[in-house]
Amino acid sequence: MSIDDYGGGPGPQADILVVTTNDVPGFRVEKVIGEVFGLTVRSRHLGSQIGAGLKSMIGGELRGLTKTLVETRNQAMERLIEQARARGGNAVLMMRFDVTEAADVGTEVCAYGTAVVVTRET
């Protein structure tokens, strides 16, 4: 598996800038739109759970679960970006992920941040 299988976030072609910082060097915040988030809940796949249980006995990375979590985070981020775009933003500042167990049946992943409109400083 390549590094692309475990990477995350939008590619360089994305029209919404997403950063974990409070500001972006070279850009000025023109308008704060407000909080946006993307949420997804994934149930556990029985096959991957059995494989993970066996793997945990001998140690090592649980690649199937790692890949599932990356896909889940990416889906949450896509929804975050859709919400920012729909509300008129072109950037999301202070993006974070929150991951929790959802009633012992799955994993909830929430990507959240502040939607803003930014312009390049001249």
Side-chain angles (χ1 to χ4, degrees):
M1 294 192 175
S2 73
I3 190 69
D4 292 332
D5 293 328
Y6 299 102
Q13 73 283 359
D15 61 330
I16 303 289
L17 178 65
V18 179
V19 298
T20 59
T21 56
N22 295 337
D23 52 15
V24 182
F27 288 83
R28 180 176 56 249
V29 174
E30 296 291 334
K31 178 181 179 184
V32 175
I33 295 170
E35 179 190 13
V36 289
F37 66 91
L39 180 67
T40 186
V41 178
R42 294 278 178 104
S43 63
R44 293 183 183 89
H45 180 275
L46 180 59
S48 68
Q49 284 300 100
I50 292 171
L54 294 173
K55 183 75 172 187
S56 68
M57 293 168 62
I58 59 172
E61 180 181 7
L62 306 174
R63 289 180 185 243
L65 292 177
T66 299
K67 190 169 182 180
T68 298
L69 182 55
V70 169
E71 291 168 356
T72 304
R73 286 171 57 125
N74 286 346
Q75 183 178 47
M77 184 172 250
E78 288 169 12
R79 291 176 178 176
L80 166 91
I81 290 168
E82 287 173 18
Q83 191 176 75
R85 185 183 298 116
R87 294 183 61 194
N90 66 354
V92 177
L93 303 180
M94 301 183 315
M95 193 283 297
R96 302 285 188 266
F97 284 108
D98 185 35
V99 180
T100 59
E101 292 296 313
D104 293 330
V105 296
T107 302
E108 172 190 317
V109 176
C110 181
Y112 62 95
T114 303
V116 297
V117 174
V118 295
T119 57
R120 285 197 182 276
E121 292 179 339
T122 55

